[in-house]
């Protein structure tokens, strides 16, 4: 079996002593952590110092999970019961409370001090974990770049710091299965493995950010040019899907110059970070060479990589609405340029040297660049086509009158330029057009969703199904046609279609999309409308049926209103929920489902007397970075709009118009420039 060797070696020198800081933690050895000052961590900490909701899988030589500076930041598998000898969560691992050791196939991810162990072998993973998330400002030891996070210990390298490719693959798959957001790979090898590349592809498809050390291997004393001599896993980029799957990290010194040992290159290296003279957490087993909790001074690209992993976690925490693509773009766009300091390596050290403060500032600016606005649309026939905010101010008035009775709409950046468009489906009685407007209501273009003579209305939603930064427009008929789901690109060109229900059903379906299983690729969810069982059907983005379940009791025939949204916010940002409300004929009970049809929460949105149905939508109602649930009443009653959080707690309740307006309203969230 091919070996993977840790990209790590020791330099016994101290680069810098105490530094001044905008926000200095009280950890006694913080004065030894010169590199945190270099990347402007102190300034960043005044904006975001912790990332408690981010799970960072450290695939390495094991982590001392009871280390005094790490024990509070070790991930815990909440679905597993400790020491009961059972696989409680069904993930294939028994009693995996704190991760797994893939080298010995045990549930203890600690270094073991097995025969032949080395000081660096047993401490490497503990060191990497401390650089990421040693508890900060706790009057102990050192400070991690993020003071609080969830480190998932996955031991795939032995106590010498060597490992088998098969164990790394298993560790990556474990990280995917158990909800990691970031994977840190501080090791390298010259040997290519198709299996490992495919595992990284699976992790990328699952929405995970993958960070890898560029490698320390020597070539004429200058490190490898990995454009010419590939190292892995840092160079597992693009072969399968043509895009950057691994963030490669080179190492710089206190003067922002490439260290002599660091590999470099234009294709595999994305960013540089300090990687010399680190003092941090090490494994203490109470024996010679392993009798300290803290030690230094170590160097290597292994130590530069975890600084990047921690920064990604802080960016995510600073703005939980950011997509993976946006997080990585901010990381790379916020660097300090160092080509002038490295004329022999210009263009070979990535976008520049990591600057955490700039990255957090950009994430915050992005958060406040656009604000969520609750908008109201009258659904009564003959009403003026307008979107109004809660306070009654006109947000958008469309240039034509398509946007009126029962029209379906969505807001999304379909062009990938940072500006949202309004995507409007035609109402019943009109040609089956989908019309695109800019955020001011100016008409851009339209296209036919179905055959020109169809007049049953078009339901519409938008999602980035292929992860290219642009939204795909997904449509379905409101009534009077085969329940065909069609997927169009941002220019209205048909990409895919499939039947959601057999050919006998022509009563219409609603459609929504999101990553409901947490595995990267988005799913399309379809809800049957009035006259059918209250079914929800889940399809892959390619149209393959994945599951069917009932939203309400089997004999209910009022139809199901549907949205898909991540309302757990920072808790599980990789996975969205299916949220439904009933049409006419039953109490307005909101249900929140997992992708397997399990009810996570239910609550009643209106009183027992309201049986006329309620529209449902989701968005960030109070601009706190977490999506909420919005209900609005069908016609026949007062224009009552209500907002709830994920637990069913009432956030907003008001009448959109005067109480005698009984034509019905739709409420939704759109984002507008601040």
């Amino acid at each position: 079996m091919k070996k993977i060797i840790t990209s790590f070696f020791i330099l016994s020198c101290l680069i810098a002593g105490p530094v001044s800081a905008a926000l200095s933690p009280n950890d006694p050895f913080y004065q030894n952590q010169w590199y945190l000052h270099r990347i402007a961590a102190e300034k960043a900490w005044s904006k975001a110092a912790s990332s408690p909701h981010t799970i960072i899988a450290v695939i390495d030589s094991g982590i001392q999970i009871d280390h005094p500076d790490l024990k509070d930041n070790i991930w815990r598998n909440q679905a597993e019961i400790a020491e009961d000898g059972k696989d409680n969560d069904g993930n294939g691992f028994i009693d995996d409370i704190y991760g797994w050791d893939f080298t010995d196939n045990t549930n203890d991810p600690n270094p073991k001090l097995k025969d032949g162990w080395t000081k660096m072998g047993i401490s490497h993973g503990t060191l990497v974990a401390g650089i990421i998330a040693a508890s900060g400002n706790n009057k102990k030891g050192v400070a991690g770049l993020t003071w609080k996070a969830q480190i998932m210990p996955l031991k795939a390298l032995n106590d010498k710091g060597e490992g088998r490719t098969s164990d790394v693959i298993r560790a990556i798959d474990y990280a995917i299965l158990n909800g990691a957001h970031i994977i840190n790979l501080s090791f390298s090898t010259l040997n290519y493995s198709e299996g490992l590349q495919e595992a990284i592809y699976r992790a990328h498809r699952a929405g995970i950010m993958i960070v890898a050390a560029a490698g320390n291997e020597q070539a004429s004393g200058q490190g490898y040019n990995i454009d010419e001599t590939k190292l892995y896993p840092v160079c597992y980029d693009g072969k399968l899907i043509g895009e950057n799957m691994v963030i490669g990290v080179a190492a710089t010194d206190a003067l922002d110059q490439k260290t002599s040992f660091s590999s470099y290159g234009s294709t595999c290296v994305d960013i540089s970070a300090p990687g010399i003279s680190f003092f941090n957490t090490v494994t203490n087993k109470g024996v010679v060479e392993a009798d300290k909790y803290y030690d230094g001074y170590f160097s290597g690209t292994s130590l530069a990589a975890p600084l990047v992993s921690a920064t990604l976690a802080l960016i995510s925490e600073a703005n939980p609405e950011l997509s993976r693509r946006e997080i990585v773009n901010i990381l790379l766009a916020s660097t300090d340029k160092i080509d002038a300091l490295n004329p022999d390596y210009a263009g070979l050290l990535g976008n520049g040297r990591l600057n955490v403060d700039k990255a957090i500032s950009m994430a915050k600016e992005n958060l406040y660049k656009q604000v969520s606005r609750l908008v109201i649309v009258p659904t009564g026939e003959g009403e003026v086509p307008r979107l109004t905010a809660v306070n009654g101010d006109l947000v958008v008035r469309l240039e034509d009158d398509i946007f009126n009775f029962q029209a379906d709409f969505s807001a999304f950046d379909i062009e990938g330029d940072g500006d949202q468009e309004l995507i409007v489906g035609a109402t019943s009685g009109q040609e089956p057009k989908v019309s695109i407007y800019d955020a001011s209501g100016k008409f851009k273009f339209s296209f036919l969703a179905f055959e020109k003579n169809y007049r049953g209305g078009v339901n519409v939603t938008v999602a980035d199904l292929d992860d290219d930064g642009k939204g795909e427009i997904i449509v379905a008929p409101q009534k009077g046609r085969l329940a065909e789901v069609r997927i169009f690109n941002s220019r209205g060109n048909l990409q895919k279609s499939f039947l959601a229900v057999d050919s006998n059903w022509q009563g219409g379906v609603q459609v929504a999309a999101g990553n409901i299983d947490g595995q990267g690729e988005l799913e399309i969810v379809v809800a049957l409308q009035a006259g059918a069982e209250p079914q929800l059907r889940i399809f892959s983005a390619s149209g393959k049926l994945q599951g069917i379940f009932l939203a309400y009791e089997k004999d209910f025939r009022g139809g199901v209103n549907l949205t898909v949204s991540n309302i757990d916010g920072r808790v599980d940002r990789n996975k969205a929920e299916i949220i439904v409300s009933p049409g006419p004929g039953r109490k307005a009970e909101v249900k929140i489902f997992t992708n397997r049809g399990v009810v996570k929460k239910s609550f009643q949105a209106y009183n027992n007397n309201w049986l006329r149905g309620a529209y449902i939508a989701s968005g960030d109602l109070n601009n706190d970075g977490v999506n909420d649930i919005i209900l609005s009443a069908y016609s026949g009653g007062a224009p009552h709009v209500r907002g709830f959080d994920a637990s069913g707690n009432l956030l907003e309740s008001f009448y959109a118009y005067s109480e005698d307006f009984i034509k019905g309203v739709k409420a939704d969230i759109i984002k507008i420039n601040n």
Side-chain angles (χ1 to χ4, degrees):
M1 182 64 66
K2 297 173 183 177
K3 290 184 177 180
I4 294 175
I5 311 299
T6 52
S7 332
F8 181 86
F9 66 95
I10 304 170
L11 289 180
S12 298
C13 60
L14 173 62
I15 295 296
V19 294
S20 59
L23 180 59
S24 297
N26 58 22
D27 306 270
F29 292 130
Y30 171 67
Q31 62 181 353
N32 297 340
Q33 296 179 269
W34 71 272
Y35 52 89
L36 292 174
H37 175 71
R38 192 64 184 168
I39 60 176
E42 299 93 337
K43 293 180 180 179
W45 287 334
S46 66
K47 304 176 182 73
S50 298
S51 49
H53 305 99
T54 302
I55 301 172
I56 306 169
V58 175
I59 300 177
D60 215 289
S61 63
I63 297 171
Q64 183 174 356
I65 62 175
D66 64 353
H67 191 290
D69 234 359
L70 293 175
K71 61 183 181 180
D72 292 336
N73 284 345
I74 298 296
W75 170 80
R76 182 183 174 91
N77 185 354
Q78 300 293 339
E80 196 75 6
I81 299 173
E83 299 181 3
D84 70 346
K86 299 178 181 179
D87 179 14
N88 305 105
D89 59 358
N91 69 354
F93 298 87
I94 295 173
D95 291 338
D96 56 322
I97 303 298
Y98 301 111
W100 199 259
D101 179 350
F102 294 91
T103 64
D104 289 334
N105 202 33
T106 74
N107 63 357
D108 177 12
N110 282 282
K112 306 295 190 299
L113 274 69
K114 301 189 80 171
D115 289 347
W117 65 270
T118 65
K119 181 178 180 180
M120 281 304 93
I122 64 166
S123 285
H124 194 268
T126 301
L127 181 59
V128 167
I131 293 167
I132 296 172
S135 295
N137 210 36
N138 66 343
K139 298 182 180 180
K140 294 179 183 178
V142 295
L145 179 49
T146 174
W147 293 356
K148 190 168 183 60
Q150 297 182 59
I151 298 294
M152 179 187 288
L154 301 177
K155 190 176 190 302
L157 308 180
N158 63 24
D159 290 344
K160 298 178 185 179
E162 301 173 347
R164 297 179 299 180
T165 302
S166 58
D167 290 337
V168 175
I169 292 171
R170 293 173 65 209
I172 289 173
D173 285 334
Y174 183 99
I176 297 169
L177 183 64
N178 291 280
H181 304 111
I182 299 165
I183 294 175
N184 189 91
L185 305 172
S186 285
F187 50 78
S188 67
T189 180
L190 289 163
N191 298 316
Y192 171 79
S193 165
E194 184 176 356
L196 184 51
Q197 171 142 3
E198 289 174 348
I200 285 173
Y201 173 58
R202 290 193 292 273
H204 181 82
R205 287 289 301 271
I208 298 174
M209 292 172 282
I210 306 161
V211 180
N216 304 336
E217 282 71 14
Q218 299 294 300
S220 304
Q222 297 299 315
Y224 282 122
N225 180 340
I226 52 179
D227 292 337
E228 300 171 356
T229 305
K230 299 291 187 185
L231 292 176
Y232 304 100
V234 67
C235 288
Y236 285 129
D237 272 338
K239 182 176 179 180
L240 292 175
I241 56 175
E243 66 176 87
N244 186 17
M245 296 191 293
V246 180
I247 302 169
V249 189
T252 52
D253 62 19
L255 300 177
D256 285 341
Q257 295 178 336
K258 187 189 86 68
T259 61
S260 61
F261 55 79
S262 178
S263 296
Y264 56 94
S266 61
T267 56
C268 301
V269 175
D270 300 288
I271 191 170
S272 296
I276 193 169
S277 196
F278 275 53
F279 186 94
N280 215 283
T281 53
V282 293
T283 297
N284 184 347
K285 290 292 187 179
V287 299
V288 175
E289 294 294 302
D291 56 358
K292 299 178 181 179
Y293 283 115
Y294 307 93
D295 204 358
Y297 291 89
F298 311 117
S299 300
T301 57
S302 279
L303 313 185
L307 290 177
V308 171
S309 293
T311 301
L312 292 171
L314 289 173
I315 294 171
S316 301
E317 188 71 22
N319 185 350
E321 293 190 355
L322 293 171
S323 67
R324 175 184 59 188
R325 184 184 298 274
E326 291 168 330
I327 292 168
V328 174
N329 286 346
I330 286 172
L331 171 79
L332 301 181
S334 60
T335 56
D336 289 342
K337 305 310 174 188
I338 59 173
D339 275 357
L341 298 170
N342 295 272
D344 293 338
Y345 302 100
L348 302 176
L349 297 174
N351 275 41
R353 194 255 301 130
L354 176 69
N355 186 314
V356 186
D357 181 54
K358 286 183 181 178
I360 301 306
S361 296
M362 287 181 67
K364 293 283 189 180
E365 289 168 5
N366 191 291
L367 180 64
Y368 300 120
K369 178 182 176 182
Q370 292 184 326
V371 295
S372 297
R373 295 290 295 272
L374 177 63
V375 297
I376 311 299
V377 178
T379 62
E381 193 164 9
E383 293 296 323
V384 176
R386 66 187 187 272
L387 281 69
T388 56
V390 173
N391 61 7
D393 292 341
L394 184 67
V395 176
V396 178
R397 176 162 181 168
L398 304 183
E399 286 187 334
D400 59 28
D401 63 353
I402 190 173
F403 201 66
N404 53 19
F405 179 61
Q406 296 288 322
D408 198 23
F409 73 100
S410 185
F412 202 91
D413 177 13
I414 64 171
E415 297 177 350
D417 59 2
D419 295 323
Q420 285 204 332
E421 285 78 32
L422 291 170
I423 301 92
V424 181
T427 188
S428 177
Q430 297 176 326
E431 284 189 356
K433 288 182 179 179
V434 172
S435 298
I436 315 300
Y437 303 82
D438 68 17
S440 69
K442 183 179 180 180
F443 176 78
K444 300 183 76 170
F445 70 95
S446 65
F447 62 90
L448 287 174
F450 299 106
E451 56 277 5
K452 188 171 184 177
N453 61 352
Y454 169 66
R455 293 293 188 273
V458 180
N459 285 324
V460 62
T461 192
V462 186
D464 185 3
L465 295 177
D466 57 7
D467 194 31
D468 67 348
K470 300 179 181 180
E472 279 71 49
I473 301 167
I474 310 166
V475 304
Q478 289 185 356
K479 61 181 179 180
R481 191 188 184 281
L482 295 179
E484 181 187 10
V485 174
R486 290 186 173 184
I487 302 168
F488 296 86
N489 67 13
S490 60
R491 301 310 303 167
N493 298 316
L494 182 64
Q495 305 295 296
K496 177 75 178 178
S497 68
F498 60 90
L499 278 181
V501 191
D502 65 45
S503 59
N504 294 324
W505 174 251
Q506 298 193 21
V509 294
Q510 282 193 24
V511 64
N515 183 7
I516 61 174
D517 64 1
Q519 297 300 305
E521 184 177 274
L522 274 60
E523 289 75 39
I524 297 171
V525 185
V526 170
L528 274 62
Q529 296 305 281
E533 284 186 354
Q535 281 188 13
L536 295 175
R537 296 186 167 209
I538 301 171
F539 296 86
S540 69
S542 62
K544 181 179 179 181
L545 182 63
Q546 296 182 329
I548 301 175
F549 62 92
L550 294 179
Y552 298 104
E553 56 276 6
K554 186 179 178 68
D555 59 354
F556 174 63
R557 292 294 187 272
V560 179
N561 293 300
L562 167 72
T563 189
V564 169
S565 177
N566 182 354
I567 56 173
D568 284 341
R570 295 175 173 91
V571 176
D572 191 356
R573 68 174 78 88
N574 281 0
K575 186 181 292 188
E577 287 74 43
I578 303 169
I579 313 165
V580 300
S581 62
R586 79 180 309 278
K587 295 176 183 178
E589 180 187 13
V590 174
K591 287 189 177 184
I592 303 168
F593 292 95
T594 69
N595 64 302
R596 297 183 180 276
V598 177
V599 178
K600 297 180 67 173
K601 180 74 179 178
S602 66
F603 59 90
Q604 193 164 317
Y606 295 100
N607 63 35
N608 290 335
N609 295 326
W610 183 252
L611 304 176
R612 292 180 179 269
Y615 300 109
I616 194 161
S618 181
D620 187 0
L621 187 61
N622 48 11
N623 285 289
D624 65 351
V626 179
N627 287 337
D628 306 298
I629 303 168
I630 302 98
L631 278 297
S632 47
Y634 274 39
S635 63
H640 197 180
V641 177
R642 311 194 94 193
F644 299 86
D645 66 16
S647 298
N649 299 311
L650 185 65
L651 301 176
E652 293 274 1
S653 182
F654 61 93
Y655 291 113
Y657 305 110
S658 63
E659 288 190 42
D660 59 359
F661 181 93
I662 59 171
K663 293 184 177 180
V665 293
K666 281 186 180 180
D668 207 341
I669 296 287
I670 66 169
K671 292 196 174 210
I672 60 174
N673 288 332
N674 197 1

